[in-house]
């Protein structure tokens, strides 16, 4: 029998780097469709805004993929660092989800996030000082020197990871998040072992000497409300969710603004527009193009399409956020857009817990960068941009963004 399913993910570089035309064609064909993933598994891809929002809010779509796949008799692929690090809130349903999310939320209360602002500013300013040391006409890599280390430093502050340990931890995560096809290469296994050992030592240290940080908050809950496996999984997930995503937003956002000089000028003329601009940059550039996988526990009908039980569902946020039925002129970047919220941070009970922190980090990152270097430009044009090599599902971001910063204009 011939397989008539269209494929989803594992795209050519041209589509992966700029997937929006591909999303639009697929959405126009059918906003909810069955497709084949790059790993050969079938999945229902949800592309329209209404169906996407409904799917994300539907409790019949389970996030406990491990249990759901096992129930469906499917083989569970083991990633790194292994299943013992996968018991975190993004992989479970209520009541475990409610319990884990409530515990971690203690670190994300508005006062605690706002209190991080001076530290975020200091990190941004220190990184820009380092880049400026290359001289105003030099080409620097904004991803390596700014977009990545900034959120990594912030998640380090939040968790209580000593500054001296961050570079090696960061290097390990970089290896792990680069992705690979087939069996993991030796350096990925090494990076994974390094992270597992490091997080174990960090937890031990906080058990002995608790401090005012998230690891200590979670260690205090260990035993009664949280197993050690859940504690380590949560830390791992927070580091992953907390830095690559925001780094992609900063990198993609800079490129989008440089591609749209009128929008950049409007923002420079009125920096008060920055918070709204950040949400528009998330909508327009899709740093997280798809939500994580879900599995139907019973038949679910979305947009008139019946999805049977035990099927994988993949919600394409990048498509939903450019649905013309929801956002007029969706392919136009408009920092003054007043169309209400988009789905870039998800929706429903798994709505991004770090959204307020990500928005604050992005605000500080753009303020500091554009305040100093309003004339920054791409060095080498668009061809010099290097997009990440993943499967195009989880993240859409750059691994390299060469720019010339130009003179420091902070003091007129
Ligand atoms: C621009 C930056 C970010 C984007 C676009 C983003 C996007 C998302 C999305 C789409 C989800 C939902 C996934 C799903 O339903 O399958 C999510 C969940 C989550 N994000 Fe973020 N995120 C960002 C930054 C952060 C940061 C900075 C943190 C923490 C420091 C964070 C922590 C989390 C957590 C803990 C969850 C799981 C929530 C739950 O399962 O209840 N995120 N994020």
């Amino acid at each position: 029998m011939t397989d008539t399913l269209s494929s989803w993910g594992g795209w050519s570089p041209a589509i992966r780097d700029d997937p929006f035309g591909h999303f639009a064609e697929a959405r126009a064909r059918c906003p909810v469709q069955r497709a084949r993933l790059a790993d050969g598994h079938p999945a229902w891809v949800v592309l329209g805004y209404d169906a996407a929002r409904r799917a994300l809010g539907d409790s019949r779509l389970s996030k406990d993929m491990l249990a759901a796949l096992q129930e469906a008799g499917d083989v569970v692929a083991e990633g790194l660092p292994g299943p013992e690090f996968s018991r975190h809130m993004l992989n479970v349903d209520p009541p475990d989800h409610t319990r884990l999310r409530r515990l971690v939320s203690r670190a994300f209360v508005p006062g605690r996030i706002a209190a991080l602002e001076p530290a975020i500013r200091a990190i941004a300013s220190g990184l820009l000082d380092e880049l400026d040391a290359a001289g105003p006409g030099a080409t620097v890599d904004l991803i390596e020197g700014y977009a990545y280390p900034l959120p990594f430093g912030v998640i380090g502050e939040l968790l209580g990871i000593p500054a001296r340990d961050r570079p090696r931890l960061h290097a390990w995560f970089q290896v792990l998040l680069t992705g690979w096809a087939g069996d993991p290469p030796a350096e990925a296994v090494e990076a994974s072992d390094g992270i597992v050992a490091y997080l174990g030592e960090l937890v031990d240290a906080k058990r002995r000497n608790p401090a005012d940080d998230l690891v200590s908050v979670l260690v205090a809950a260990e035993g009664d409300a949280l197993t050690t496996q859940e504690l380590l999984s949560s830390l791992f997930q927070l580091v992953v969710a907390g830095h690559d995503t925001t780094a992609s937003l900063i990198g993609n956002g800079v490129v989008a603004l440089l591609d749209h000089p009128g929008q950049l000028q409007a923002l420079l003329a009125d920096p008060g527009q920055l918070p709204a601009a950040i949400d528009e940059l998330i909508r327009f550039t899709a740093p997280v193009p798809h939500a994580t996988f879900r599995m139907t526990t019973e038949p679910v009908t979305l947009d008139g399409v019946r999805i049977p039980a035990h099927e994988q569902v993949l919600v394409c946020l990048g498509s939903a956020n450019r649905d013309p039925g929801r956002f007029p002129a969706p392919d136009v970047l408009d920092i003054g857009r007043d169309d209400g919220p988009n789905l870039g941070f998800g929706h429903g009970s798994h709505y991004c817990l770090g959204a307020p922190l990500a928005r604050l980090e992005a605000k500080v990152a753009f303020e500091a960068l554009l305040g100093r270097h309003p004339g920054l430009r791409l060095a080498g044009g668009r061809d010099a941009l290097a997009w990440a090599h993943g499967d195009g599902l989880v993240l859409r971001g750059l691994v390299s963004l060469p720019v010339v910063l130009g003179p420091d204009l902070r003091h007129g």
Side-chain angles (χ1 to χ4, degrees):
M1 199 173 82
T2 36
D3 188 340
T4 53
L5 290 184
S6 57
S7 59
W8 200 258
W11 292 295
S12 67
I15 294 181
R16 193 194 54 211
D17 300 351
D18 185 3
F20 301 105
H22 188 71
F23 290 170
E25 274 171 33
R27 189 178 58 239
R29 241 184 1 260
C30 187
V32 178
Q33 55 183 265
R34 197 155 185 268
R36 190 165 299 286
L37 304 171
D39 68 4
H41 281 83
W44 293 82
V45 183
V46 182
L47 297 148
Y49 180 90
D50 287 339
R53 192 168 185 279
R54 212 163 304 135
L56 294 172
D58 193 323
S59 60
R60 294 170 298 171
L61 296 180
S62 170
K63 284 297 292 115
D64 192 344
M65 293 297 290
L66 205 61
L69 285 169
Q70 273 160 354
E71 193 178 326
D74 212 333
V75 180
V76 181
E78 282 193 12
L80 286 175
E84 73 277 15
F85 270 64
S86 65
R87 288 301 292 177
H88 51 71
M89 71 180 94
L90 198 47
N91 280 348
V92 290
D93 296 324
D96 288 339
H97 174 258
T98 321
R99 175 176 54 87
L100 293 177
R101 184 164 170 126
R102 192 177 295 144
L103 282 171
V104 178
S105 295
R106 290 178 190 169
F108 287 86
V109 290
R112 210 176 243 272
I113 297 301
L116 280 170
E117 184 160 348
I120 303 174
R121 276 194 196 287
I123 292 171
S125 167
L127 292 168
L128 288 175
D129 289 347
E130 283 173 31
L131 291 179
D132 282 340
T139 296
V140 295
D141 185 351
L142 209 57
I143 296 295
E144 192 191 354
Y146 194 62
Y148 262 100
L150 192 155
F152 200 84
V154 175
I155 196 77
E157 290 287 320
L158 188 76
L159 294 182
I161 297 169
R164 64 175 180 279
D165 296 343
R166 290 176 202 163
R168 78 185 150 120
L169 198 58
H170 189 192
W172 284 327
F173 273 100
Q174 295 284 84
V175 172
L176 221 53
L177 294 173
T178 307
W180 54 85
D183 291 336
E187 57 172 1
V189 176
E190 204 178 298
S192 167
D193 291 349
I195 292 170
V196 169
Y198 181 81
L199 290 181
E201 285 163 22
L202 182 69
V203 165
D204 271 347
K206 301 290 178 184
R207 283 189 191 117
R208 288 193 302 273
N209 292 311
D212 183 22
D213 55 47
L214 178 57
V215 177
S216 303
V217 168
L218 295 181
V219 161
E222 198 185 358
D224 297 341
L226 186 74
T227 67
T228 302
Q229 187 195 12
E230 289 169 338
L231 165 56
L232 290 169
S233 302
S234 300
L235 296 182
F236 182 78
Q237 190 250 341
L238 280 168
V239 179
V240 172
H243 82 283
D244 235 10
T245 49
T246 314
S248 296
L249 167 59
I250 296 170
N252 297 358
V254 167
V255 173
L257 288 173
L258 293 177
D259 275 349
H260 298 82
Q263 296 290 301
L264 176 58
Q265 288 313 316
L267 191 57
L268 291 171
D270 179 8
Q273 292 197 66
L274 196 45
I278 286 164
D279 275 72
E280 173 66 351
L281 289 171
I282 290 174
R283 184 194 73 78
F284 188 78
T285 73
V288 177
H290 296 81
T292 51
F293 281 101
R294 283 156 168 76
M295 191 91 154
T296 50
T297 54
E298 56 183 272
V300 172
T301 300
L302 288 174
D303 229 351
V305 177
R306 184 178 184 276
I307 303 177
H310 310 305
E311 298 264 346
Q312 292 199 83
V313 177
L314 185 61
V315 176
C316 183
L317 306 172
S319 166
N321 281 338
R322 294 221 191 183
D323 183 340
R326 170 68 182 81
F327 298 100
D331 297 323
V332 173
L333 176 74
D334 176 4
I335 60 167
R337 194 179 274 279
D338 190 17
D339 299 325
N342 66 67
L343 296 179
F345 284 116
H347 172 71
S349 61
H350 290 277
Y351 179 81
C352 178
L353 182 61
L357 177 60
R359 288 193 173 103
L360 177 62
E361 287 180 53
K363 182 175 93 76
V364 171
F366 282 107
E367 261 169 18
L369 177 67
L370 298 177
R372 255 193 222 204
H373 297 293
L376 96 160
R377 59 183 167 81
L378 292 183
R382 278 194 137 269
D383 288 348
L385 300 180
W387 294 88
H389 308 296
D391 57 8
L393 297 185
V394 186
L395 277 174
R396 175 174 181 268
L398 292 155
V399 289
S400 173
L401 170 49
V403 295
V404 175
L405 291 173
D408 179 348
L409 294 190
R410 264 176 303 174
H411 310 295

